[in-house]
Amino acid sequence: MDDQPSVVDVSVENFREVIDRSNDQLVVLLFWAEQIEPSAVTKDYLVGVAPSYAGKVVFGLVDVAANPQIAQQLQIQALPSIQAIQEGQIAGRLDGPQTEQALREFLDPFTLSSADVLKQSIASSIANEDWETALQILQEAITEEPTNHSFRVECADVMILKGDLEAAKQILATIPEDFVDRARPATRIEIAQEAAAMGSLSDIENTIESDANDLSNRYAYSIVLASLRRYEEALEQAMFILRQDRSFRDDIGRETMVRILNLLGSDSALAKRYRRQMFAFMH
C-alpha cells in the first residue's frame, strides 16, 4: 500500500479501487475541470500540499469533463468540489475555490493526532494574543490529563505572556524541576522580571543611538526585545555582543542567545538559523 501514489487521476475504471483505499487511509476527491479556472487553481494547490500528507491521505483528481458519470453519481453540482472519504463514506465536504491554507485547515482535523490539534489550537490563540481562549483550552486539557506536565508548562507560559507572573509561578511550582520543557516558562519569567527593571524600549534605543558600542545597553535592548517577543531583533543584539567581546560579563552574549533560543523551542526555524550562526562563530 505504501508504494502506491498519493495523488492519482481518477476515472470510471479505477474509481472503486481508489475508494477502497479509504479503508486504510483518508481519500480526498477533487472534482475539477481545466475549463473552470478556479477549479484548476484549487487542483494546483491540492497537488502542492499533497507531499505534506504522504502516507496519510490519497488525493484523487476527478476530471469531470472526462468522467461526467462519476460527478453525476455523486451529485456534484459545481466545481471545484472536494470530498473526504473514510471507509467508503463521505466524512467531509468543501465546495468552491480554495486557498492552500483553507485546504490544510480542512485536512488537518482528519490527519493530526488529538495532541497535534490541541497544539495548533493553542498556537493559533497565542498568535492572535487571545490569552483567555488559550488558557481555556489548556485548563480543559489539564482537567482531562492532570498528570500531563506539558499542559502545565504551556499554561504557565501563556500566563506570563498575558502578564500574570504570579499565577505563572504558582503553576510552575507544580511542575518537577527536572521536566525538560519547564525551562521555557522559567526563562520567560526571568526575562520578564529583568526587562521590567531596564526602562522603556524607546529610552534604550535612544541610548544605543548615542553610543552603539556600549554592550550593557545592547544587553538591555536584547532582554527587553525578548520580553516583547521580538525574538529575531533580540537575537541580533545578543549576537552583536557575542561577536564584539566574548569576555563581556562572562560571555553573556552567548548565554543570552541560549536563553532566547529556549523561548523559541527546538522546532523553530528562527531558532535553528541563529543556533547555526552561533555555533559557526564559536567554532
Side-chain angles (χ1 to χ4, degrees):
M1 182 72 66
D2 290 343
D3 59 357
Q4 291 182 278
S6 60
V7 180
V8 296
D9 291 315
V10 179
S11 64
V12 172
E13 288 74 20
N14 71 350
F15 177 72
R16 177 46 55 190
E17 176 187 340
V18 172
I19 295 300
D20 285 345
R21 291 178 68 178
S22 71
N23 292 318
D24 300 302
Q25 294 172 282
L26 179 71
V27 170
V28 173
L29 299 178
L30 168 66
F31 296 87
W32 74 289
E34 194 70 52
Q35 304 91 322
I36 311 295
E37 184 177 355
S39 73
V41 172
T42 298
K43 185 204 77 166
D44 291 340
Y45 282 135
L46 195 70
V47 171
V49 304
S52 302
Y53 299 91
K56 297 180 180 179
V57 183
V58 177
F59 294 94
L61 308 179
V62 185
D63 184 344
V64 171
N67 300 277
Q69 308 95 312
I70 300 176
Q72 290 168 6
Q73 179 183 343
L74 296 178
Q75 299 181 335
I76 302 301
Q77 303 296 322
L79 303 181
S81 182
I82 297 172
Q83 293 186 356
I85 313 293
Q86 288 181 319
E87 297 182 351
Q89 303 296 316
I90 297 175
R93 184 167 184 154
L94 200 59
D95 293 314
Q98 305 297 328
T99 63
E100 177 180 331
Q101 181 61 31
L103 290 171
R104 291 188 182 277
E105 289 175 359
F106 176 70
L107 294 166
D108 285 348
F110 292 106
T111 58
L112 296 178
S113 67
S114 57
D116 288 334
V117 172
L118 184 69
K119 287 179 183 178
Q120 283 201 350
S121 298
I122 295 167
S124 176
S125 297
I126 291 173
N128 295 322
E129 297 190 356
D130 184 356
W131 314 127
E132 296 305 323
T133 297
L135 289 171
Q136 181 181 349
I137 294 169
L138 283 162
Q139 285 163 359
E140 289 174 358
I142 291 170
T143 299
E144 291 181 9
E145 298 184 46
T147 61
N148 189 327
H149 296 305
S150 294
F151 295 145
R152 294 182 184 276
V153 164
E154 297 301 331
C155 194
D157 215 30
V158 173
M159 281 294 187
I160 302 164
L161 295 173
K162 183 185 174 186
D164 194 341
L165 299 190
E166 291 308 312
K169 290 177 184 178
Q170 290 175 14
I171 296 169
L172 210 58
T174 69
I175 304 169
E177 291 194 6
D178 59 354
F179 187 71
V180 62
D181 290 337
R182 187 183 188 279
R184 174 161 36 94
T187 300
R188 199 183 299 281
I189 288 174
E190 291 171 2
I191 286 176
Q193 291 176 325
E194 200 172 347
M198 287 178 167
S200 71
L201 184 67
S202 59
D203 286 345
I204 297 171
E205 288 173 335
N206 291 335
T207 305
I208 287 177
E209 284 183 12
S210 64
D211 187 355
N213 293 314
D214 187 322
L215 298 187
S216 292
N217 289 332
R218 291 280 183 173
Y219 172 70
Y221 197 24
S222 180
I223 292 298
V224 173
L225 286 168
S227 74
L228 297 172
R229 293 188 293 151
R230 291 167 58 175
Y231 299 123
E232 185 166 8
E233 296 168 87
L235 285 164
E236 277 296 317
Q237 296 304 316
M239 192 74 195
F240 180 90
I241 298 170
L242 177 65
R243 288 177 174 139
Q244 291 295 110
D245 185 0
R246 289 203 60 187
S247 66
F248 176 69
R249 291 177 60 177
D250 296 326
D251 204 9
I252 202 168
R254 182 194 62 80
E255 179 188 327
T256 304
M257 288 193 74
V258 171
R259 293 170 74 193
I260 298 169
L261 293 171
N262 283 340
L263 299 182
L264 288 167
S266 59
D267 293 335
S268 163
L270 181 65
K272 290 176 182 176
R273 176 153 58 89
Y274 274 90
R275 193 172 285 112
R276 285 195 297 270
Q277 289 185 30
M278 181 175 66
F279 287 152
F281 175 79
M282 291 171 59
H283 302 291

